[in-house]
């Protein structure tokens, strides 16, 4: 671990290399203890990670997976879109378990607010998309697209605006009434002005001291060890992903740095996280998607159901060109390959190598047919499992440093 930490340096990012749900939370959990600041930069409550609090599993959407580590400063950065009632629920859940995160929670005043009406707009837009060829995106319906749309249209509301309404006497209701006319005209959706106002008031009451201008967040981060927790993943990036079947934020490390206002030269390492196979929720291309038996096997062994929506994930095999692409986009310094054990019973493991005449060309690697669950040292892995991981290293040019061998915190090989 010490030599890995030395390699990672002061500012490290953990970024998904596929279509999300790679299991970034576990690496974050293991590494968080060694950093001072845990920061989320982009996205919103479309993310979902399971955290065990008070012996029970809970799904968190906004607070980073590293939040439970006592004494760590938690930052939600400027690139995020935040549904305040969801954030309050997560804070309340922690408080019920005697964890008061407020004194160490910092929210950029540049982050945008997600309103309830934007979730409705999300649903209306999905319905409209279903009427055209190409169909729905399969969004999480958390209002992410509409919130970023308003950000880009410069009609969004930011956390810093709450000071204007609740501290400086601004007229919130007339602002919301204007918004009502605006979304009504565009989407035939109407705002529940009183409910939206109450959501903001309740949130401000609890969060007012957490909302800070970016320069003060940069002061907090100055010279400290920062772990950046990526959300969604590279192939869902608004620019470089499989558009239009993507999310609405920049999900690469460049997006994360922009979302936090951190200068790129401060980054010392970037861990790419990929499953030993591949999954996707929502629509869009998935060249190596498995069919029939294999699809079901991977889903059942891997527990592949969406944390945010409960939807069954589409399952398939690794596609090396995607890993190479993600590694280039993000400059991965290390791989975390997760859920190796899910492949334990496969006879052969197909790995997509590229396309020829419109068909995926596979290389078939021999399976290992032995349990790898809970193995913590690379040398103890079956030879074919070692070979599989070395194959990923060779084909992508990035060393595999962390290998997940089960859901537990300790079920990880650190190489
Ligand atoms: P949206 O981000 O809710 O607009 O959804 C756009 C696409 O991104 C859909 O295919 C979602 O399933 C996918 N997506 C968004 N967030 C996540 C995530 O955290 N994990 C996996 N897929 C996600």
């Amino acid at each position: 671990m010490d030599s890995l930490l030395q390699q990672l340096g002061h500012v490290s990012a953990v970024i998904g290399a596929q279509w999300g749900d790679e299991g970034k939370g576990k690496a974050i959990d293991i590494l968080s203890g060694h950093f001072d600041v845990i920061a989320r930069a982009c996205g919103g409550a479309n993310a979902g990670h399971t955290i065990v609090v008070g012996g029970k599993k809970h799904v968190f959407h906004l607070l980073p997976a590293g939040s439970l580590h006592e004494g760590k400063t938690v930052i939600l950065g400027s690139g995020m879109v935040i549904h305040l009632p969801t954030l309050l629920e997560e804070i309340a859940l922690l408080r019920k378990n005697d964890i008061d995160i407020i004194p160490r929670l910092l929210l950029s005043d540049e982050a945008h607010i997600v309103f309830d009406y934007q979730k409705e707009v999300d649903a209306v837009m999905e319905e409209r998309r279903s009427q055209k060829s190409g169909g729905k995106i399969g969004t999480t319906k958390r209002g992410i697209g509409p919130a970023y749309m308003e950000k880009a249209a410069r009609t969004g509301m930011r956390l810093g605006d709450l000071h204007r309404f609740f501290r400086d006497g601004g007229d919130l209701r007339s602002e919301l009434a204007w918004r009502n006319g605006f979304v009504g005209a565009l989407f035939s959706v109407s705002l529940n002005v009183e409910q939206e106002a109450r959501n903001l008031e309740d949130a401000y009451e609890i969060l007012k001291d957490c909302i800070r201008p970016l320069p003060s967040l940069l002061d907090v981060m100055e010279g400290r060890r920062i772990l950046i927790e990526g959300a969604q993943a590279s192939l869902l990036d608004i620019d470089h992903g499989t558009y239009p079947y993507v999310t609405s934020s920049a999900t690469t490390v460049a997006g994360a740095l922009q979302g936090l206002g951190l200068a790129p030269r401060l980054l010392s390492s970037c861990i790419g996280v990929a499953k030993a196979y591949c999954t996707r929720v929502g629509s869009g291309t998935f060249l190596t998607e498995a069919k029939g038996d294999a699809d079901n096997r991977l889903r059942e062994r891997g527990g592949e159901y969406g944390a945010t929506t409960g939807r069954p994930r589409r399952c398939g095999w690794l596609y090396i060109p995607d890993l190479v692409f993600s590694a280039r986009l993000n400059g991965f310094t290390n791989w975390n390959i997760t859920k190796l054990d899910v492949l334990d019973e496969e006879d052969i493991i197909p790995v997509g190598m590229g396309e020829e005449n419109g068909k995926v060309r596979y290389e078939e690697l021999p399976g290992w047919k032995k349990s790898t669950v809970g193995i913590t040292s690379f040398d103890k892995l079956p030879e074919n499992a070692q070979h599989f991981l070395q194959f990923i290293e060779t084909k992508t040019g990035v060393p595999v440093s962390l290998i997940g061998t089960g859901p537990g915190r300790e079920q990880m090989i650190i190489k």
Side-chain angles (χ1 to χ4, degrees):
M1 182 72 164
D2 286 350
S3 83
L4 175 64
L5 287 171
Q6 214 166 0
Q7 266 182 47
L8 296 183
H10 252 59
V11 180
S12 189
V14 177
I15 301 287
Q18 297 159 319
W19 283 291
D21 309 314
E22 294 90 353
K24 298 177 276 290
K26 194 163 131 183
I28 300 271
D29 187 35
I30 289 170
L31 295 172
S32 289
H34 304 276
F35 288 80
D36 307 310
V37 176
I38 319 295
R40 252 197 83 177
C42 295
N46 45 351
H49 41 256
T50 307
I51 295 189
V52 180
V53 191
K56 266 177 71 184
K57 281 187 180 176
H58 298 277
V59 179
F60 277 59
H61 301 284
L62 288 164
L63 290 175
S67 302
L68 289 195
H69 285 259
E70 285 292 327
K72 306 295 173 191
T73 302
V74 172
I75 293 183
L76 303 191
S78 306
M80 285 191 71
V81 290
I82 300 178
H83 183 249
L84 291 165
T86 303
L87 180 58
L88 292 195
E89 269 172 35
E90 294 180 5
I91 292 169
L93 180 77
L94 291 182
R95 190 168 288 149
K96 247 204 233 153
N97 289 279
D98 298 322
I99 300 167
D100 183 11
I101 197 172
I102 294 284
R104 53 189 181 86
L105 177 66
L106 299 174
L107 311 173
S108 167
D109 70 356
E110 296 177 336
H112 277 247
I113 292 168
V114 175
F115 291 93
D116 284 343
Y117 77 79
Q118 287 165 331
K119 295 192 198 183
E120 285 180 52
V121 172
D122 201 344
V124 168
M125 292 185 70
E126 278 288 77
E127 194 42 47
R128 288 290 166 91
R129 286 186 194 109
S130 71
Q131 296 161 16
K132 73 170 178 65
S133 70
K136 295 185 186 187
I137 292 173
T139 73
T140 60
K141 303 221 174 106
R142 297 297 176 119
I144 305 302
Y148 280 112
M149 250 164 63
E150 288 213 40
K151 172 177 173 173
R154 289 145 297 167
T155 59
M157 191 188 283
R158 308 203 290 184
L159 288 183
D161 292 322
L162 298 181
H163 293 313
R164 183 156 54 86
F165 298 121
F166 299 117
R167 189 187 61 195
D168 307 334
D171 185 352
L172 175 64
R173 279 172 177 77
S174 71
E175 156 80 29
L176 291 177
W178 171 82
R179 216 157 262 281
N180 209 356
F182 175 74
V183 295
L186 285 176
F187 299 103
S188 317
V189 161
S190 63
L191 257 84
N192 183 337
V193 170
E194 281 315 308
Q195 182 62 51
E196 299 281 15
R198 223 171 309 129
N199 288 349
L200 300 182
E201 271 166 64
D202 291 351
Y204 191 71
E205 190 52 37
I206 292 172
L207 300 171
K208 55 180 176 294
D209 294 332
C210 304
I211 301 171
R212 305 283 176 87
L214 183 61
S216 90
L217 296 186
L218 295 179
D219 284 346
V220 169
M221 290 190 272
E222 180 83 35
R224 297 177 79 199
R225 288 168 304 173
I226 306 167
L227 186 63
I228 301 172
E229 179 171 327
Q232 290 75 50
S234 304
L235 303 180
L236 288 173
D237 183 82
I238 182 76
D239 291 309
H240 311 303
T242 46
Y243 191 91
Y245 304 100
V246 294
T247 190
S248 298
S249 57
T251 57
T252 60
V253 71
L257 293 169
Q258 166 74 1
L260 285 168
L262 281 178
R265 70 176 172 78
L266 296 178
L267 188 78
S268 42
S269 58
C270 184
I271 300 175
V273 187
K275 275 180 192 160
Y277 49 101
C278 191
T279 64
R280 177 163 203 177
V281 253
S283 321
T285 176
F286 184 174
L287 291 175
T288 53
E289 185 165 8
K291 300 278 177 279
D293 261 9
D295 177 39
N296 289 330
R297 257 192 340 261
L298 292 171
R299 184 174 310 102
E300 292 317 312
R301 279 205 213 126
E304 298 295 355
Y305 295 88
T308 300
T309 58
R311 290 178 288 181
R313 295 178 184 142
R314 301 156 67 192
C315 297
W317 309 107
L318 277 188
Y319 189 59
I320 292 292
D322 281 347
L323 295 191
V324 169
F325 179 57
S326 287
R328 294 178 84 184
L329 279 180
N330 293 286
F332 290 148
T333 52
N334 309 75
W335 280 119
N336 170 199
I337 302 297
T338 63
K339 296 182 128 180
L340 182 73
D341 55 298
V342 172
L343 300 181
D344 282 353
E345 285 167 40
E346 297 297 319
D347 291 320
I348 51 150
I349 300 167
V351 178
M353 303 304 294
E355 269 187 287
E356 253 164 45
N357 307 321
K359 276 194 153 169
V360 177
R361 182 167 51 80
Y362 284 98
E363 196 149 322
E364 296 192 331
L365 303 189
W368 41 93
K369 305 284 281 178
K370 267 193 201 123
S371 172
T372 60
V373 176
I375 291 180
T376 53
S377 117
F378 187 80
D379 302 333
K380 299 251 162 66
L381 285 175
E383 211 173 293
N384 285 349
Q386 294 187 12
H387 175 239
F388 172 76
L389 295 162
Q390 282 155 352
F391 184 83
I392 296 172
E393 285 188 336
T394 312
K395 298 294 172 191
T396 61
V398 176
V400 175
S401 300
L402 295 146
I403 303 147
T405 55
R409 191 171 197 277
E410 62 299 334
Q411 293 174 318
M412 179 81 105
I413 297 170
I414 299 174
K415 221 172 136 221

